Amino acid sequence: MTPQPFVLFLLAVSRLIETIIVSVDTPDNSSRLLRRAMSSGDAVRLYDVVFVLGPPGSGKGTQCARIQENLGFVHLSAGDLLRAERQRAGSEFGELIETHIKNGSIVPVEITCKLLENAMIASGTAAKGFLIDGFPRNQNNLDGWVREMGAKTKVHFVLYLSAELEICVDRCLNRGQGRTDDNVESIQKRITTYNNQTFPIIQHYEQLGLVREIKCGTKTPDQVYAEVAQVFGNAGL
Protein backbone atom coordinates (compact mmCIF):
# COMPACT_ATOMS: atom_id res chain seq x y z
CA MET A 1 0.00 0.00 0.00
CA THR A 2 1.41 3.41 -0.95
CA PRO A 3 1.74 5.76 2.06
CA GLN A 4 -0.67 8.67 2.00
CA PRO A 5 0.82 12.15 1.47
CA PHE A 6 -0.07 13.20 5.04
CA VAL A 7 1.77 10.19 6.47
CA LEU A 8 4.82 11.03 4.38
CA PHE A 9 4.64 14.59 5.65
CA LEU A 10 4.62 13.42 9.28
CA LEU A 11 7.60 11.15 8.66
CA ALA A 12 9.53 14.02 7.09
CA VAL A 13 8.77 16.32 10.02
CA SER A 14 9.87 13.63 12.49
CA ARG A 15 13.19 13.18 10.70
CA LEU A 16 13.72 16.95 10.59
CA ILE A 17 13.14 17.30 14.34
CA GLU A 18 15.55 14.44 15.02
CA THR A 19 18.18 16.07 12.81
CA ILE A 20 17.84 19.39 14.63
CA ILE A 21 18.18 17.77 18.05
CA VAL A 22 21.22 15.79 16.97
CA SER A 23 22.93 18.87 15.52
CA VAL A 24 22.43 21.12 18.53
CA ASP A 25 24.48 20.58 21.65
CA THR A 26 24.39 22.96 24.61
CA PRO A 27 27.40 23.78 26.80
CA ASP A 28 26.18 21.38 29.49
CA ASN A 29 25.46 18.58 26.98
CA SER A 30 21.81 18.39 28.04
CA SER A 31 20.70 17.86 24.44
CA ARG A 32 22.67 14.61 24.39
CA LEU A 33 20.70 13.44 27.38
CA LEU A 34 17.48 14.62 25.74
CA ARG A 35 18.20 12.50 22.68
CA ARG A 36 18.82 9.49 24.89
CA ALA A 37 15.58 10.10 26.77
CA MET A 38 13.59 10.47 23.55
CA SER A 39 14.96 7.24 22.17
CA SER A 40 14.37 5.26 25.37
CA GLY A 41 11.14 6.86 26.45
CA ASP A 42 12.48 7.25 30.01
CA ALA A 43 12.00 10.43 32.02
CA VAL A 44 15.35 12.03 32.85
CA ARG A 45 16.01 14.48 35.65
CA LEU A 46 18.66 17.10 35.05
CA TYR A 47 20.00 18.71 38.22
CA ASP A 48 19.54 22.49 38.11
CA VAL A 49 22.87 24.16 38.87
CA VAL A 50 24.14 27.69 39.42
CA PHE A 51 27.89 28.20 39.72
CA VAL A 52 28.91 30.89 42.23
CA LEU A 53 32.28 32.46 41.45
CA GLY A 54 34.23 35.52 42.52
CA PRO A 55 37.48 36.52 44.20
CA PRO A 56 38.26 35.53 47.80
CA GLY A 57 36.28 37.68 50.19
CA SER A 58 33.62 38.70 47.67
CA GLY A 59 30.85 37.26 49.84
CA LYS A 60 30.10 33.97 48.09
CA GLY A 61 29.44 32.05 51.30
CA THR A 62 27.20 34.77 52.73
CA GLN A 63 25.05 34.99 49.63
CA CYS A 64 24.87 31.22 49.17
CA ALA A 65 23.53 30.89 52.73
CA ARG A 66 20.80 33.42 51.99
CA ILE A 67 19.87 31.82 48.68
CA GLN A 68 19.64 28.44 50.37
CA GLU A 69 17.44 29.82 53.13
CA ASN A 70 15.11 31.86 50.94
CA LEU A 71 15.06 30.27 47.48
CA GLY A 72 15.28 26.53 48.19
CA PHE A 73 18.65 25.92 46.55
CA VAL A 74 21.18 23.65 48.29
CA HIS A 75 24.62 25.16 48.83
CA LEU A 76 27.47 22.82 47.86
CA SER A 77 31.07 23.83 48.45
CA ALA A 78 33.56 21.63 46.62
CA GLY A 79 36.22 22.42 49.22
CA ASP A 80 33.94 21.56 52.13
CA LEU A 81 32.92 18.29 50.49
CA LEU A 82 36.55 17.28 49.99
CA ARG A 83 37.43 18.11 53.59
CA ALA A 84 34.43 16.19 54.91
CA GLU A 85 35.20 13.16 52.73
CA ARG A 86 38.80 13.24 53.91
CA GLN A 87 37.59 12.83 57.50
CA ARG A 88 34.76 10.35 56.86
CA ALA A 89 35.42 6.88 58.26
CA GLY A 90 35.47 4.22 55.56
CA SER A 91 35.71 6.70 52.70
CA GLU A 92 36.80 5.21 49.40
CA PHE A 93 38.46 8.54 48.51
CA GLY A 94 39.73 9.69 51.91
CA GLU A 95 43.26 8.29 51.67
CA LEU A 96 43.74 9.61 48.14
CA ILE A 97 42.47 13.06 49.13
CA GLU A 98 44.79 13.04 52.16
CA THR A 99 47.77 12.14 49.96
CA HIS A 100 47.08 14.98 47.54
CA ILE A 101 46.62 17.50 50.34
CA LYS A 102 49.90 16.41 51.99
CA ASN A 103 51.73 16.64 48.67
CA GLY A 104 50.17 19.98 47.81
CA SER A 105 48.81 18.52 44.59
CA ILE A 106 45.35 18.85 43.05
CA VAL A 107 42.71 16.26 43.89
CA PRO A 108 41.53 14.61 40.64
CA VAL A 109 38.48 16.45 39.33
CA GLU A 110 36.67 13.14 38.90
CA ILE A 111 36.60 12.76 42.68
CA THR A 112 35.30 16.30 43.19
CA CYS A 113 32.56 15.73 40.62
CA LYS A 114 31.61 12.42 42.23
CA LEU A 115 31.30 14.07 45.64
CA LEU A 116 29.14 16.82 44.15
CA GLU A 117 26.94 14.25 42.44
CA ASN A 118 26.62 12.21 45.65
CA ALA A 119 25.56 15.34 47.53
CA MET A 120 22.95 16.10 44.88
CA ILE A 121 21.55 12.59 45.10
CA ALA A 122 21.51 12.72 48.91
CA SER A 123 19.48 15.94 48.79
CA GLY A 124 16.56 14.03 47.26
CA THR A 125 13.84 15.69 45.23
CA ALA A 126 13.12 18.52 47.68
CA ALA A 127 16.01 20.68 46.45
CA LYS A 128 14.99 23.28 43.90
CA GLY A 129 18.54 23.36 42.58
CA PHE A 130 22.17 23.49 43.63
CA LEU A 131 24.60 26.35 44.23
CA ILE A 132 28.11 25.14 43.53
CA ASP A 133 30.42 27.52 45.34
CA GLY A 134 33.98 28.11 44.13
CA PHE A 135 33.85 25.57 41.30
CA PRO A 136 34.98 25.24 38.54
CA ARG A 137 38.18 26.98 39.63
CA ASN A 138 40.26 26.27 36.54
CA GLN A 139 40.22 24.72 33.08
CA ASN A 140 40.83 21.24 34.44
CA ASN A 141 37.77 21.60 36.69
CA LEU A 142 35.68 22.81 33.77
CA ASP A 143 36.79 20.00 31.46
CA GLY A 144 36.14 17.42 34.18
CA TRP A 145 32.70 18.87 34.92
CA VAL A 146 31.65 18.73 31.28
CA ARG A 147 32.96 15.18 30.98
CA GLU A 148 31.55 13.81 34.25
CA MET A 149 28.46 15.93 34.92
CA GLY A 150 27.57 17.73 31.70
CA ALA A 151 24.87 15.23 30.70
CA LYS A 152 23.40 15.09 34.21
CA THR A 153 22.96 18.79 34.92
CA LYS A 154 21.65 22.04 33.51
CA VAL A 155 23.84 25.03 34.33
CA HIS A 156 21.44 27.98 34.31
CA PHE A 157 24.06 30.67 34.83
CA VAL A 158 27.20 31.72 36.70
CA LEU A 159 26.53 34.10 39.59
CA TYR A 160 29.63 36.27 39.50
CA LEU A 161 30.16 38.32 42.66
CA SER A 162 32.77 40.90 41.76
CA ALA A 163 34.56 43.33 44.05
CA GLU A 164 37.74 45.38 44.08
CA LEU A 165 40.64 43.27 45.27
CA GLU A 166 41.57 45.78 48.00
CA ILE A 167 38.10 45.36 49.50
CA CYS A 168 38.35 41.57 49.25
CA VAL A 169 41.70 41.51 51.06
CA ASP A 170 40.32 43.71 53.84
CA ARG A 171 37.26 41.50 54.23
CA CYS A 172 39.35 38.32 54.43
CA LEU A 173 41.61 39.83 57.08
CA ASN A 174 38.71 41.05 59.21
CA ARG A 175 35.99 38.43 58.83
CA GLY A 176 37.08 36.55 61.96
CA GLN A 177 36.35 33.03 60.70
CA GLY A 178 39.59 31.64 62.04
CA ARG A 179 40.76 30.39 58.65
CA THR A 180 44.47 29.62 58.58
CA ASP A 181 44.73 31.04 55.05
CA ASP A 182 43.25 34.43 56.02
CA ASN A 183 46.61 36.19 56.19
CA VAL A 184 48.13 38.68 53.77
CA GLU A 185 50.57 36.23 52.13
CA SER A 186 48.00 33.47 51.64
CA ILE A 187 45.34 35.88 50.41
CA GLN A 188 47.70 37.35 47.81
CA LYS A 189 48.46 33.83 46.56
CA ARG A 190 44.75 32.98 46.39
CA ILE A 191 44.05 36.18 44.46
CA THR A 192 46.86 35.41 42.01
CA THR A 193 45.42 31.93 41.49
CA TYR A 194 41.97 33.42 41.00
CA ASN A 195 43.22 35.93 38.42
CA ASN A 196 45.24 33.36 36.47
CA GLN A 197 42.94 30.34 36.64
CA THR A 198 39.39 31.14 37.76
CA PHE A 199 38.72 34.44 36.01
CA PRO A 200 39.28 32.84 32.56
CA ILE A 201 36.49 30.38 33.44
CA ILE A 202 34.18 33.32 34.13
CA GLN A 203 35.20 34.80 30.77
CA HIS A 204 34.39 31.46 29.11
CA TYR A 205 30.85 31.49 30.46
CA GLU A 206 30.54 35.19 29.61
CA GLN A 207 31.09 34.29 25.96
CA LEU A 208 28.21 31.82 26.29
CA GLY A 209 25.95 34.53 27.70
CA LEU A 210 25.68 32.73 31.04
CA VAL A 211 27.29 35.19 33.47
CA ARG A 212 25.18 37.30 35.82
CA GLU A 213 27.54 39.77 37.47
CA ILE A 214 26.73 41.59 40.68
CA LYS A 215 29.19 44.28 41.69
CA CYS A 216 29.44 43.97 45.44
CA GLY A 217 32.04 46.63 46.25
CA THR A 218 30.96 48.54 49.34
CA LYS A 219 27.35 47.30 49.25
CA THR A 220 25.90 45.66 52.35
CA PRO A 221 25.00 41.95 52.26
CA ASP A 222 21.31 42.97 52.19
CA GLN A 223 21.85 45.19 49.15
CA VAL A 224 23.77 42.45 47.34
CA TYR A 225 21.12 39.85 48.15
CA ALA A 226 18.36 42.09 46.77
CA GLU A 227 20.17 42.01 43.40
CA VAL A 228 20.84 38.28 43.71
CA ALA A 229 17.14 37.57 44.29
CA GLN A 230 16.28 39.62 41.23
CA VAL A 231 18.72 37.62 39.09
CA PHE A 232 17.14 34.34 40.23
CA GLY A 233 13.66 35.74 39.68
CA ASN A 234 14.51 36.84 36.14
CA ALA A 235 15.77 33.31 35.47
CA GLY A 236 12.51 31.80 36.70
CA LEU A 237 14.25 30.24 39.67
Side-chain angles (χ1 to χ4, degrees), residues 62-63 66 171 214-227:
T62 298
Q63 295 305 317
R66 295 195 176 199
R171 285 179 180 173
I214 295 179
K215 297 180 180 179
C216 303
T218 57
K219 295 174 185 173
T220 67
D222 287 341
Q223 290 172 326
V224 173
Y225 179 71
E227 295 186 37

Side-chain angles (χ1 to χ4, degrees), residues 22-70:
V22 170
S23 64
V24 176
D25 202 4
T26 59
D28 61 1
N29 293 327
S30 57
S31 65
R32 206 181 313 161
L33 194 61
L34 176 62
R35 295 195 297 273
R36 191 183 309 142
M38 291 181 65
S39 63
S40 66
D42 294 333
V44 176
R45 179 192 177 190
L46 295 179
Y47 292 107
D48 294 305
V49 167
V50 171
F51 290 136
V52 184
L53 298 175
S58 60
K60 297 185 294 295
T62 298
Q63 295 305 317
C64 283
R66 295 195 176 199
I67 297 167
Q68 177 169 273
E69 179 181 359
N70 299 317

Side-chain angles (χ1 to χ4, degrees), residues 174-217:
N174 294 285
R175 58 187 173 185
Q177 292 182 350
R179 288 180 50 161
T180 57
D181 57 352
D182 276 350
N183 58 74
V184 174
E185 183 179 358
S186 293
I187 293 168
Q188 292 293 348
K189 289 180 180 179
R190 286 158 58 197
I191 287 175
T192 298
T193 299
Y194 166 80
N195 287 334
N196 293 338
Q197 299 187 30
T198 306
F199 190 67
I201 303 304
I202 296 172
Q203 292 176 312
H204 164 77
Y205 280 107
E206 178 71 47
Q207 293 175 350
L208 299 175
L210 292 176
V211 170
R212 306 293 181 267
E213 179 180 4
I214 295 179
K215 297 180 180 179
C216 303

Side-chain angles (χ1 to χ4, degrees), residues 3-190:
Q4 297 299 315
F6 182 71
V7 174
L8 293 174
F9 172 77
L10 290 178
L11 289 172
V13 170
S14 176
R15 292 193 184 100
L16 177 61
I17 291 173
E18 182 179 356
T19 300
I20 292 172
I21 292 174
V22 170
S23 64
V24 176
D25 202 4
T26 59
D28 61 1
N29 293 327
S30 57
S31 65
R32 206 181 313 161
L33 194 61
L34 176 62
R35 295 195 297 273
R36 191 183 309 142
M38 291 181 65
S39 63
S40 66
D42 294 333
V44 176
R45 179 192 177 190
L46 295 179
Y47 292 107
D48 294 305
V49 167
V50 171
F51 290 136
V52 184
L53 298 175
S58 60
K60 297 185 294 295
T62 298
Q63 295 305 317
C64 283
R66 295 195 176 199
I67 297 167
Q68 177 169 273
E69 179 181 359
N70 299 317
L71 300 181
F73 273 67
V74 173
H75 176 202
L76 300 178
S77 165
D80 288 348
L81 288 172
L82 285 168
R83 285 186 285 273
E85 185 68 17
R86 176 190 179 192
Q87 300 296 329
R88 186 174 67 84
S91 166
E92 62 178 309
F93 302 125
E95 186 176 346
L96 181 59
I97 294 172
E98 178 72 20
T99 299
H100 279 283
I101 290 176
K102 283 184 177 179
N103 294 336
S105 52
I106 298 174
V107 175
V109 67
E110 291 80 7
I111 292 179
T112 305
C113 287
K114 185 61 178 176
L115 295 178
L116 288 167
E117 183 179 8
N118 288 346
M120 292 178 187
I121 294 171
S123 297
T125 58
K128 190 173 182 180
F130 298 91
L131 303 167
I132 300 185
D133 171 11
F135 182 94
R137 290 180 180 270
N138 52 39
Q139 188 64 46
N140 175 262
N141 281 180
L142 177 59
D143 293 342
W145 171 268
V146 172
R147 184 173 61 251
E148 301 293 327
M149 297 295 292
K152 303 173 185 178
T153 59
K154 176 177 176 57
V155 177
H156 287 268
F157 57 87
V158 174
L159 180 63
Y160 170 35
L161 303 179
S162 64
E164 294 81 358
L165 295 183
E166 295 80 5
I167 293 176
C168 291
V169 171
D170 185 66
R171 285 179 180 173
C172 288
L173 291 175
N174 294 285
R175 58 187 173 185
Q177 292 182 350
R179 288 180 50 161
T180 57
D181 57 352
D182 276 350
N183 58 74
V184 174
E185 183 179 358
S186 293
I187 293 168
Q188 292 293 348
K189 289 180 180 179
R190 286 158 58 197

